[in-house]
Amino acid sequence: MKKIVVIHINDGESTTTVEFLGQPMEIRRIGCHGDPDKAEALMNQVDGTVDVIGLEGMPHWLELGPARREHSVGTRLSGITTQTPVVDGSGIRAGIERWGVILADRAQPGIFAGKRILMVPGLNHAGLSQSLGRRSEQMRFADPEIFFALPDIPGVGAKWMLEQAAAPTLEQLQDAPFRRLLPEAGHPGVERSKAPFEWADLLAGDIGTIRRYAPEDLKRKTIVVESATAEDVEDLKRRGASIVVTMIPALVERGALSPWSATVFECCLVAARRNPDAPLNEDTYLDLMADLQWTPGVRYLQPEEMGLNKFAFVIHPLNIGFIHKHDRFRWTKHLPDEIVEPIAALVPPMYVGKITGGQSPATGQKIEGYLISLGSTPREMMSRDENFTYKKLVQSAKMAERFGARIMGLGAFTSVIGDAGITTAHQCDIAITSGNSLTVSATLEAAKQAVIKMGATDLTKGKAMVIGGTGSIGSVCARLIAQAIKDVVLVSIEPERLIEFKRMIEEETPGAQVTISTRAGDLVADCDLIITATSAFGQRIVDITKCKPGAVICDVARPPDISEQEAALRPDVLVIESGEVLIPGDINITYDIGLPPKTVYACLAETSLLAMEGRFEDYTLGRNITMERVKEIYRLFKKHGYQLGGLRSHGKFVTEEEVAQKRVQADYWRAHPAEFKAMQKEAGAKLEKIPRMSKGVKTKQNSLKQWGPLAAVAGVIGGLMLAGRGRK
């Protein structure tokens, strides 16, 4: 049996037997109470009687970034023995930390991504800081606070620390007592600044240092350390930490939290050498580790975090009124909209709320969502270069990763801009979906229910129109409708695509009759169902006065294409929104997204559904939504117990009584064609008095310039909004 003695700087003695790489090993740990003389005496006592001696917490070298210094006492101790090799963990620590970060990220994708990282400390953790730094743009070092109780300096990042302060730090520590370099858990004599710890999402370094110097409140923090005992884990759990990750192999149970330090692990590798004369270097260790099967220990500490799949969803104000209603920006209603709207678009993405309580009745999988809002209205997005919105979405994705989300959905116009999510997905590490596959499914299901409620008995004999029929949502709706109704009218402003699309539908659905047009016009008069899925502004998408009695209009657009004023002109026509969705579970949404409690838009529901299924992958991207994806997401919709919410029209539920009244009115107009035509003429005259608009806004006519001196306040507004963002 291989014999290992590890001398550590704390108190106590223990002996453990393990099997490592097929060899039994006895690990004897002896405390020296931080006394170098006692450590030296113990080393002389066991020299030549064991296979390897480990010095735990007594390093030969001190390393911080590019700086490297010998520790005066550690150097002396490493050269005392004459027969038994001595190691201190430095030969393996950096390599195992780099490897461990990779393996932990594979086991729990995104666990480190986008986090604000604080090294506690960075001293002798080069591998950990380098690997974590590749997964985050925000890293700081707590070494000045920990070792010298210096005040926190906001804005000082990792690069400055390593370039300017690393060498002076090591010069002051090269004669420091070991207990100062590797402190125990407890209370410091001098309190350290809380600011860097509160700033961070992830604390990485030494468990004793973190427990001693971090503030009591560690809620939602991820802790990454070499090792953690049961006592360490309980303390972190009590203080609210979310996750603890240990980098060193557990030696006994694969994937368990490891109580072993890098020193112990290096001792095991030295003892396991096939050739006892092999040099104690990285090449020898790498050859041995090639036979090692392990993953870092990852444990979720809080019950609500265990087995929780997280997602994020990007929203934005559908019109200027949403900005005025926001608690932090109510004061903007006293300023001209023509100033507020473009300035709001400049505000960085903001976390605004959370969706909790989602759980699949089929699998028990729990989900949690984060709502992130941009400041742009649809008009602002459409008037700016698409890269402006892409940049905001990349910022949103990084924020989502910080929260632990592994998939992000694009809401409303963020899924319309540019290439409908493709560029965003390429620029982000997190999975992206536009949510349009489930939007199509929910739209068609809602439309089907509405048409049946309005009295249709045989849907196959009806006629449907899709406005925006060559768009990402409209095109798939048209293809699926053609399979059921056969008689379809496609409307689009892209005539060349209409011709191609008509041919495709008629080829894939024999018997389908497709009419194409660049405007709805009088064609609506023969249609039982009209679906609008456009991104148009300042236009009248459909003349509702020309619709046939009892028609159904399913308005997919957000904001809607058909205003409430227009809908009121035809009491016999049912105008509904695309299908909204109920997520299974005890849902709580902490931000008003403009829907009833527990109800979400279908695009948001798709994002949550993919999280519930554990499908953290780019799902619905681009303008060519496949019917296979639409059908697959609908199967998942059914599997996990999602349901359509009630039919809604302009933010209100449509009651059975209202539908009955519309049916009565429609029957009357069918029976009295002359009176119907008179009503249409009267309604048409009223329609002309309603401004031509879509998405709830008229064509933007006024420029910022006409406001003259008022435009000067724009900079002030922007500054206030950005300042508010900083305080948040």
Side-chain angles (χ1 to χ4, degrees):
M1 179 181 290
K2 301 291 184 179
K3 294 186 179 296
I4 297 169
V5 168
V6 176
I7 303 170
H8 59 87
I9 61 175
N10 299 316
D11 297 318
E13 182 174 341
S14 64
T15 302
T16 306
T17 300
V18 300
E19 184 171 300
F20 182 72
L21 294 178
Q23 301 183 54
M25 297 187 180
E26 179 187 85
I27 303 173
R28 182 183 173 198
R29 299 183 76 251
I30 308 172
C32 70
H33 197 67
D35 184 347
D37 293 334
K38 184 176 181 180
E40 181 177 351
L42 289 169
M43 293 174 71
N44 287 326
Q45 181 181 335
V46 299
D47 185 19
T49 66
V50 296
D51 294 281
V52 59
I53 298 172
L55 296 177
E56 187 175 272
M58 294 175 274
H60 178 177
W61 292 98
L62 302 180
E63 296 184 65
L64 185 59
R68 194 167 190 252
R69 297 285 188 278
E70 283 188 311
H71 187 273
S72 57
V73 179
T75 301
R76 177 173 64 84
L77 290 177
S78 65
I80 285 176
T81 60
T82 58
Q83 301 178 62
T84 303
V86 178
V87 296
D88 63 1
S90 61
I92 196 62
R93 182 180 288 110
I96 204 71
E97 285 177 343
R98 293 189 188 95
W99 192 16
V101 169
I102 292 171
L103 293 179
D105 200 26
R106 287 177 185 170
Q108 299 283 330
I111 191 173
F112 306 126
K115 298 289 191 294
R116 292 175 177 173
I117 298 169
L118 183 68
M119 296 302 302
V120 191
L123 179 69
N124 285 350
H125 287 294
L128 195 56
S129 61
Q130 290 168 5
S131 294
L132 292 176
R134 295 189 188 102
R135 289 160 173 79
S136 174
E137 297 177 355
Q138 301 184 80
M139 174 178 281
R140 290 162 68 175
F141 286 77
D143 298 65
E145 285 89 357
I146 291 169
F147 297 123
F148 309 114
L150 295 176
D152 178 50
I153 305 176
V156 173
K159 184 177 180 182
W160 183 92
M161 171 65 196
L162 295 179
E163 290 179 353
Q164 305 297 325
T169 296
L170 296 189
E171 288 171 3
Q172 296 181 65
L173 293 177
Q174 59 188 8
D175 297 317
F178 292 131
R179 282 193 177 280
R180 185 179 175 191
L181 300 179
L182 197 73
E184 292 182 276
H187 297 286
V190 178
E191 290 292 331
R192 270 40 174 192
S193 170
K194 293 182 180 180
F197 293 95
E198 293 171 345
W199 167 86
D201 305 305
L202 186 151
L203 308 179
D206 297 321
I207 186 63
T209 309
I210 291 172
R211 288 183 60 190
R212 186 177 186 88
Y213 293 115
E216 184 66 18
D217 185 359
L218 294 177
K219 287 181 181 176
R220 293 179 292 277
K221 307 291 186 189
T222 296
I223 312 297
V224 182
V225 289
E226 276 188 19
S227 59
T229 64
E231 180 184 343
D232 295 327
V233 172
E234 281 304 310
D235 183 60
L236 295 175
K237 183 177 180 180
R238 179 186 60 80
R239 293 163 74 170
S242 293
I243 306 171
V244 62
V245 182
T246 55
M247 290 285 105
I248 301 301
L251 301 184
V252 178
E253 181 183 351
R254 181 180 178 184
L257 293 181
S258 175
W260 306 110
S261 66
T263 301
V264 173
F265 185 61
E266 185 175 5
C267 284
C268 291
L269 290 173
V270 172
R273 288 175 299 169
R274 300 177 183 89
N275 177 6
D277 296 323
L280 307 184
N281 58 27
E282 189 175 41
D283 290 341
T284 299
Y285 296 152
L286 286 175
D287 184 57
L288 289 166
M289 287 194 296
D291 298 326
L292 190 65
Q293 298 296 323
W294 75 286
T295 56
V298 178
R299 182 178 297 179
Y300 288 81
L301 302 179
Q302 306 305 324
E304 62 272 16
E305 294 278 350
M306 296 177 184
L308 187 66
N309 286 349
K310 298 182 180 182
F311 67 95
F313 190 75
V314 181
I315 59 177
H316 63 86
L318 298 181
N319 55 56
I320 192 69
F322 280 75
I323 298 174
H324 295 330
K325 289 190 295 184
H326 193 284
D327 290 341
R328 292 169 59 197
F329 303 126
R330 291 185 189 279
W331 51 273
T332 60
K333 64 185 177 183
H334 302 296
L335 298 172
D337 289 350
E338 287 77 2
I339 293 177
V340 174
E341 193 170 357
I343 296 301
L346 302 176
V347 176
M350 298 185 298
Y351 164 77
V352 293
K354 205 172 187 180
I355 301 174
T356 59
Q359 185 171 13
S360 169
T363 65
Q365 178 63 57
K366 299 177 182 178
I367 58 171
E368 182 174 276
Y370 298 87
L371 297 174
I372 299 171
S373 180
L374 308 187
S376 303
T377 61
R379 179 162 62 187
E380 281 299 315
M381 285 190 195
M382 297 299 285
S383 67
R384 295 174 183 269
D385 182 85
E386 58 196 30
N387 289 312
F388 176 84
T389 302
Y390 289 160
K391 181 178 178 181
K392 301 291 185 187
L393 291 176
V394 171
Q395 292 173 341
S396 300
K398 291 179 179 178
M399 183 182 296
E401 288 180 309
R402 277 192 57 216
F403 295 147
R406 294 173 61 186
I407 186 168
M408 184 176 82
L410 307 180
F413 265 62
T414 62
S415 65
V416 173
I417 295 298
D419 53 18
I422 294 176
T423 295
T424 301
H426 287 166
Q427 294 178 353
C428 300
D429 294 327
I430 194 171
I432 301 292
T433 186
S434 69
N436 285 344
S437 292
L438 189 56
T439 297
V440 170
S441 294
T443 295
L444 295 179
E445 184 62 28
K448 175 183 174 182
Q449 291 182 13
V451 172
I452 292 174
K453 285 179 180 291
M454 286 297 289
T457 55
D458 187 354
L459 296 179
T460 62
K461 295 182 180 178
K463 189 172 187 177
M465 172 183 285
V466 181
I467 305 176
T470 57
S472 58
I473 293 176
S475 60
V476 183
C477 284
R479 293 172 66 189
L480 291 169
I481 286 173
Q483 294 178 359
I485 298 181
K486 304 295 186 183
D487 197 350
V488 180
V489 179
L490 298 182
V491 179
S492 172
I493 59 173
E494 304 173 294
E496 67 287 348
R497 294 192 65 192
L498 276 174
I499 294 172
E500 181 182 6
F501 198 44
K502 169 185 168 73
R503 291 172 179 166
M504 185 184 75
I505 291 178
E506 291 180 340
E507 286 177 5
E508 72 180 10
T509 308
Q513 182 178 340
V514 181
T515 303
I516 57 177
S517 176
T518 56
R519 57 191 181 91
D522 294 333
L523 293 171
V524 298
D526 297 324
C527 296
D528 303 281
L529 171 64
I530 301 163
I531 293 177
T532 73
T534 79
S535 57
F537 281 93
Q539 304 174 34
R540 181 153 290 136
I541 301 303
V542 61
D543 185 342
I544 195 171
T545 67
K546 294 181 179 180
C547 290
K548 68 187 297 185
V552 171
I553 300 177
C554 187
D555 194 345
V556 181
R558 287 293 175 272
D561 282 331
I562 311 296
S563 72
E564 192 169 6
Q565 276 183 296
E566 291 173 296
L569 296 176
R570 288 295 301 273
D572 61 314
V573 173
L574 177 58
V575 180
I576 63 168
E577 300 167 1
S578 61
E580 278 74 48
V581 176
L582 299 173
I583 300 176
D586 186 16
I587 299 298
N588 180 40
I589 306 174
T590 63
Y591 183 77
D592 183 5
I593 59 175
L595 292 176
K598 306 182 185 297
T599 307
V600 300
Y601 295 108
C603 48
L604 193 162
E606 176 176 311
T607 313
S608 72
L609 179 54
L610 291 169
M612 190 173 284
E613 178 69 8
R615 295 280 293 273
F616 299 110
E617 61 190 65
D618 296 336
Y619 196 79
T620 309
L621 296 176
R623 307 204 178 279
N624 296 319
I625 303 173
T626 67
M627 290 201 293
E628 290 73 19
R629 279 282 160 101
V630 173
K631 293 175 181 178
E632 179 186 42
I633 203 71
Y634 189 67
R635 287 195 298 270
L636 295 178
F637 179 94
K638 291 293 188 181
K639 170 186 174 180
H640 291 290
Y642 281 65
Q643 297 178 13
L644 282 184
L647 297 181
R648 287 162 40 87
S649 180
H650 298 100
K652 302 174 185 176
F653 284 108
V654 179
T655 66
E656 294 294 336
E657 292 75 12
E658 289 172 327
V659 174
Q661 291 172 6
K662 289 182 179 294
R663 289 181 62 174
V664 169
Q665 189 67 64
D667 290 340
Y668 181 83
W669 293 135
R670 293 188 192 100
H672 301 82
E675 293 183 35
F676 175 63
K677 288 190 175 296
M679 180 276 294
Q680 282 185 304
K681 184 176 180 180
E682 181 181 347
K686 292 179 181 178
L687 183 65
E688 288 303 313
K689 296 178 182 180
I690 299 175
R692 291 178 177 270
M693 64 173 65
S694 55
K695 309 299 180 289
V697 293
K698 294 180 285 187
T699 304
K700 192 173 183 180
Q701 298 173 343
N702 298 323
S703 69
L704 200 59
K705 294 180 181 179
Q706 80 177 83
W707 288 93
L710 283 176
V713 305
V716 178
I717 297 173
L720 287 171
M721 287 184 169
L722 292 173
R725 161 72 175 168
R727 288 194 298 273
K728 180 67 172 175

